[in-house]
Amino acid sequence: MSDIDLSKFEKKMILRNIEREDFEELIALQKICFPNMDLWKIEQLQSHLRHFPEGQFCVEYENKIIGSCSSLIVDFNEYNAQHTWNEITDHGYIRNHDPEGFNLYGMEVMVHPDYRRMKIGRRLYEARKKLAQELNLKSIIIGGRIPNYHLYADKMSPRQYVEEVMAHNIYDPVLTFQLMNGFMVKRINTHYLDDDKQSLQYATLMEWNNVDYLPQTRKQFKTSFPVRICVIQYMMKKIESFDDFAQQCEYYVDVASNYGSDFAVFPEIFTMQLLSFLDEKTPSVAVRKLTAYTEDYLHLMTSLAVKYNVNIVGGSHFVEEDHHIYNIAYLFRRDGTIERQYKIHITPNETKWWGVQPGDDIRVFDTDCGKIAILVCYDIEFPELARIVTQKGANIIFTPFNTEDRQGYLRVRTCSQARAIENQVYTVISGTVGNLSHVENMDIQYAQSGIFTPSDYSFPRDGIVGMCSENIETVVVGDIDLELLRRTRKSGSVTQLRDRRLDLYEVKLKNLDK
């Protein structure tokens, strides 16, 4: 038997999905492959893994990354064939990645020049084809550079150049390779990549068709995705026990259920009503007494959500954690599960009277009606938060609020409507009315709760689905359409999300990637 150690002769080549630890090495590789073009930003690579990790590949050879490719899924019918790279890739962030789309779109392929005779590009293209087959996608589409065209631009048009390459009379390192891998030229796009000086900003739109594609297995798109919301304008009045509070809550959840609502929405700190029978005048002491009812409140709302088959945005409630008071909004799903969102921005009044502490976790929640977020009262007045949750996929932003006067209410309402327009989302505000004469610092309430939409032809004229009459105990029930929202984001009169200048600015969390 041979005693030769074969491991000394092995040269390991691994094709795998990209990981976060690869980012710096990928950027260094890109600088070598495309020295005169813009490089990936760390934030873009993070976004790739957040939205479509299985579509990002790299080739590792002897513990060194020597090639990579990046992709996203789109429904190409929703894009102009004469598109640009920035339009189809969301400026490289792929937040437009559509898991229910039909086409895999290739953003970039790069291979280290020292390894270009080792079939690295072919391995990456085969990985893409395998992925398209596994996901039953109709085709792979790419916008291919023609980097040798600048050598012939004074002699022929881009079309003539492409025809010469297809006839094997001219060699182009990108186009020739793509043709060899089964891609067909569909058209020539202008101004595709602004920094592609070698191609003079031209690109070939090319497609590889998946012969194993089965149309019947793809999603049948809904003509609409209606969601019904019941907003509760809650009356703050004296009660004698927790049972009185529970009875009032159940009444409104029952109303929401009778109307076939998907969500019942309560206001901010409406549980302060419990203080009307606790007989404590010092606000900082009273609020800590209130926290003793946290478990009763959680049990009540969970039971109501399951019993009445309604997702409940449970307003908010003061909770004591590690001797600190937090203002927490809870989501009670109708399947019995619970989520929570801490209020991020604390008003001077909350700090002065109750010593409330801010949270630092901005969350988006999955529901049976899509992704939603909860921004509590003051939080809706900070546009960065709404942009962050929208980037995380939220289609509806719920804002439980509690305001004393019309000025405070108008800040919440106006900002909520602004967030709906600038983020192309639905927003919902739910406030308290009445008064608690037995409770310190809960003197008066002002509210006119409502449901708001983006501003476009597809939505109600004033961007309002419905509003309560001001300062009375009531509800408003309204329908929104998530499919309409999806279409408007892609092809509305204006498309704020797609038209952001991400080359100039961005909104992101510091030291957090949640």
Side-chain angles (χ1 to χ4, degrees):
M1 301 219 16
S2 173
D3 59 356
I4 297 175
D5 182 4
L6 297 180
S7 64
K8 295 190 300 183
F9 301 91
E10 291 179 340
K11 295 183 181 294
K12 295 184 178 179
M13 183 174 289
I14 302 170
L15 192 152
R16 60 174 174 81
N17 287 117
I18 291 171
E19 300 172 352
R20 292 181 182 274
E21 293 75 17
D22 301 324
F23 290 170
E24 296 292 346
E25 195 172 353
L26 287 172
I27 293 172
L29 175 62
Q30 191 182 39
K31 190 173 183 179
I32 295 171
C33 295
F34 309 117
N36 299 313
M37 298 178 67
D38 293 339
L39 304 179
W40 287 125
K41 299 176 183 177
I42 292 293
E43 293 81 3
Q44 290 171 317
L45 296 173
Q46 288 174 334
S47 189
H48 297 174
L49 297 195
R50 185 160 55 245
H51 293 284
F52 189 34
E54 58 268 45
Q56 321 308 319
F57 295 102
C58 69
V59 174
E60 184 180 308
Y61 182 62
E62 295 186 306
N63 300 316
K64 176 182 178 181
I65 294 178
I66 61 173
S68 74
C69 69
S70 304
S71 310
L72 71 155
I73 297 175
V74 299
D75 180 355
F76 195 66
N77 291 326
E78 297 178 347
Y79 293 86
N80 190 328
Q82 187 63 265
H83 61 273
T84 67
W85 186 87
N86 280 332
E87 289 170 345
I88 198 83
T89 70
D90 184 26
H91 293 267
Y93 287 85
I94 73 165
R95 285 170 296 216
N96 58 324
H97 167 70
D98 183 359
E100 297 173 341
F102 297 90
N103 314 97
L104 188 71
Y105 193 94
M107 287 193 291
E108 180 184 76
V109 174
M110 57 182 176
V111 177
H112 194 293
D114 294 344
Y115 300 88
R116 284 182 178 164
R117 300 294 179 183
M118 297 176 64
K119 311 296 184 185
I120 306 304
R122 184 179 295 272
R123 296 170 196 261
L124 292 167
Y125 270 67
E126 289 301 319
R128 276 181 176 169
K129 291 176 182 178
K130 182 179 179 182
L131 179 64
Q133 291 166 337
E134 289 175 349
L135 298 179
N136 190 35
L137 299 177
K138 185 176 181 180
S139 68
I140 302 175
I141 297 174
I142 55 177
R145 299 171 61 237
I146 44 176
N148 278 0
Y149 175 60
H150 69 284
L151 301 174
Y152 298 85
D154 60 340
K155 305 180 184 69
M156 58 186 71
S157 68
R159 176 166 294 280
Q160 290 171 325
Y161 173 81
V162 169
E163 290 172 350
E164 289 295 300
V165 175
M166 293 173 65
H168 301 284
N169 295 326
I170 295 175
Y171 172 78
D172 184 277
V174 175
L175 179 55
T176 300
F177 172 78
Q178 291 163 342
L179 292 169
M180 294 291 289
N181 277 275
F183 282 79
M184 302 293 293
V185 177
K186 306 281 287 183
R187 61 170 296 124
I188 296 173
N189 285 18
T190 60
H191 305 293
Y192 182 73
L193 263 175
D194 291 338
D195 58 345
D196 186 5
K197 295 180 174 57
Q198 289 181 316
S199 305
L200 304 184
Q201 300 181 352
Y202 291 104
T204 54
L205 180 64
M206 306 186 73
E207 186 171 22
W208 172 85
N209 290 295
N210 177 14
V211 296
D212 296 321
Y213 170 64
L214 298 174
Q216 65 268 28
T217 65
R218 300 300 295 151
K219 175 186 173 183
Q220 298 297 313
F221 285 107
K222 296 182 178 181
T223 56
S224 65
F225 187 163
V227 175
R228 180 162 294 176
I229 298 172
C230 177
V231 182
I232 299 154
Q233 193 158 279
Y234 191 90
M235 175 68 74
M236 300 290 269
K237 56 190 176 185
K238 182 174 173 53
I239 55 176
E240 301 298 332
S241 66
F242 185 86
D243 287 342
D244 288 349
F245 172 76
Q247 183 179 31
Q248 193 167 343
C249 292
E250 183 165 9
Y251 167 79
Y252 281 117
V253 176
D254 188 15
V255 168
S257 179
N258 287 340
Y259 280 102
S261 302
D262 297 293
F263 290 96
V265 190
F266 285 92
E268 180 188 24
I269 58 170
F270 77 116
T271 57
M272 289 289 283
Q273 186 180 31
L274 299 172
L275 293 181
S276 63
F277 63 80
L278 290 183
D279 193 27
E280 174 56 60
K281 298 300 182 183
T282 304
S284 60
V285 177
V287 78
R288 291 186 181 272
K289 285 188 175 182
L290 177 65
T291 65
Y293 287 89
T294 298
E295 291 190 4
D296 293 329
Y297 159 76
L298 295 175
H299 177 72
L300 169 66
M301 289 297 179
T302 304
S303 300
L304 294 178
V306 173
K307 177 180 178 180
Y308 290 97
N309 192 32
V310 179
N311 298 304
I312 299 176
V313 178
S316 76
H317 174 66
F318 287 133
V319 178
E320 184 174 3
E321 296 180 354
D322 297 325
H323 306 293
H324 295 301
I325 301 297
Y326 295 93
N327 189 349
I328 302 178
Y330 290 90
L331 168 66
F332 302 90
R333 296 191 187 92
R334 48 183 155 200
D335 65 1
T337 57
I338 308 173
E339 301 282 4
R340 59 186 169 187
Q341 172 66 62
Y342 291 75
K343 189 173 183 178
I344 303 298
H345 297 91
I346 306 304
T347 64
N349 195 51
E350 288 175 283
T351 302
K352 174 182 176 182
W353 291 96
W354 300 313
V356 180
Q357 300 297 309
D360 58 9
D361 188 6
I362 305 170
R363 304 190 62 195
V364 167
F365 307 113
D366 288 310
T367 74
D368 54 5
C369 298
K371 292 182 182 293
I372 67 107
I374 306 173
L375 299 181
V376 183
C377 196
Y378 198 27
D379 286 341
I380 198 66
E381 298 176 30
F382 296 83
E384 298 88 349
L385 295 190
R387 178 54 49 85
I388 287 168
V389 297
T390 302
Q391 290 174 173
K392 286 172 172 275
N395 293 316
I396 312 170
I397 299 176
F398 292 97
T399 298
F401 73 93
N402 179 287
T403 53
E404 296 180 353
D405 49 42
R406 182 171 174 79
Q407 289 86 349
Y409 159 71
L410 285 177
R411 288 195 294 270
V412 172
R413 173 181 166 177
T414 304
C415 289
S416 183
Q417 289 189 273
R419 303 298 88 86
I421 292 169
E422 66 201 15
N423 293 291
Q424 294 184 287
V425 296
Y426 295 109
T427 57
V428 180
I429 61 173
S430 173
T432 53
V433 297
N435 60 76
L436 291 175
S437 57
H438 296 73
V439 180
E440 287 292 325
N441 197 41
M442 288 294 289
D443 302 324
I444 56 175
Q445 316 284 307
Y446 191 105
Q448 187 177 17
S449 307
I451 305 168
F452 308 118
T453 75
S455 183
D456 212 333
Y457 292 110
S458 304
F459 301 103
R461 186 185 68 175
D462 297 322
I464 301 172
V465 172
M467 294 193 72
C468 297
S469 299
E470 54 191 331
N471 292 333
I472 66 170
E473 182 177 20
T474 186
V475 303
V476 61
V477 179
D479 287 346
I480 61 174
D481 188 343
L482 298 185
E483 175 62 17
L484 178 61
L485 188 72
R486 185 188 72 84
R487 294 177 187 172
T488 304
R489 284 176 170 179
K490 294 180 181 294
S491 58
S493 299
V494 290
T495 50
Q496 290 95 335
L497 288 181
R498 288 176 57 181
D499 294 340
R500 288 169 292 159
R501 286 293 303 277
L502 296 176
D503 56 325
L504 294 179
Y505 59 83
E506 59 183 337
V507 177
K508 63 179 182 179
L509 289 168
K510 284 188 175 181
N511 302 320
L512 291 172
D513 188 22
K514 298 179 180 180

